[in-house]
Amino acid sequence: MNDDFSFNLWRYDGTPGELIPLLQSAQNHFGYIPRRAINYISAVTGIPESEVYGVITFYSQFRLRPMGKYVIRACDGTACHVSGAEMIIETIQDELGVEVGETTEDGLFTLNTVACIGCCSLAPVIMINEDTHGSLTPASVRKIIRRYRRNEKASNEDFAAQK
């Protein structure tokens, strides 16, 4: 382990209350908190792994699994909710075979809901990474997800052809 994560562990001087900054550092470094980071933090701090795990699962900011390449944030704010956000979220779940908060087995998509994206005039709306898609219907959201899959497949085929 290296970079900021090890640096922060190296700086750890036993001061109480440092567990959360260490976990944040691990998540920033790895993108999530892997088992080996939990073991490492536990060994350095002397805090039992079960307690470290308890803190991770208590706070929603921490992840124990990596995020997908494409993070879908489905808005469930008031404007989106009254415009059919629930149906859009169910369609995404059906299309990807995951529940909210999960990542597809291929690691391509992670589905999350958010309270508001700030695009109420486009309700219902989702964001896929930094791209906003609004005025959605179940058919249009399926088309968008399938386009991302096709583009990813084409990108992988192009990469393989260059080898």
Side-chain angles (χ1 to χ4, degrees):
M1 299 198 190
N2 53 24
D3 301 339
D4 295 340
F5 180 57
S6 288
F7 179 74
N8 287 330
L9 284 172
W10 175 75
R11 289 183 36 216
Y12 176 73
D13 62 1
T15 305
E18 290 293 314
L19 179 57
I20 288 178
L22 289 173
L23 292 173
Q24 290 169 328
S25 178
Q27 185 161 285
N28 288 340
H29 180 77
F30 297 105
Y32 70 107
I33 303 173
R35 177 77 185 173
R36 62 187 165 136
I38 295 171
N39 296 343
Y40 200 60
I41 289 170
S42 175
V44 169
T45 62
I47 298 171
E49 288 180 28
S50 60
E51 192 172 323
V52 174
Y53 182 79
V55 170
I56 293 168
T57 56
F58 180 80
Y59 292 102
S60 63
Q61 69 173 299
F62 295 123
R63 295 181 299 275
L64 290 166
R65 298 181 57 200
M67 299 284 275
K69 179 176 182 179
Y70 301 105
V71 178
I72 300 174
R73 289 179 283 157
C75 184
D76 197 25
T78 303
C80 288
H81 187 78
V82 299
S83 298
E86 187 174 327
M87 188 168 39
I88 296 302
I89 293 167
E90 288 173 2
T91 301
I92 296 168
Q93 290 173 320
D94 181 60
E95 184 69 23
L96 298 178
V98 296
E99 298 295 320
V100 171
E102 294 181 345
T103 300
T104 56
E105 285 190 25
D106 60 6
L108 206 52
F109 295 98
T110 297
L111 173 61
N112 289 320
T113 57
V114 295
C116 185
I117 289 177
C119 300
C120 298
S121 63
L122 299 174
V125 63
I126 64 171
M127 289 187 73
I128 301 178
N129 292 348
E130 300 304 317
D131 297 327
T132 304
H133 305 273
S135 304
L136 296 170
T137 64
S140 67
V141 79
R142 284 186 192 279
K143 188 181 289 187
I144 290 166
I145 291 170
R146 289 174 184 172
R147 187 177 67 230
Y148 274 85
R149 284 198 187 277
R150 274 194 314 274
N151 290 345
E152 187 67 23
K153 184 178 178 183
S155 175
N156 290 339
E157 289 171 355
D158 288 346
F159 181 73
Q162 293 175 356
K163 286 186 173 182

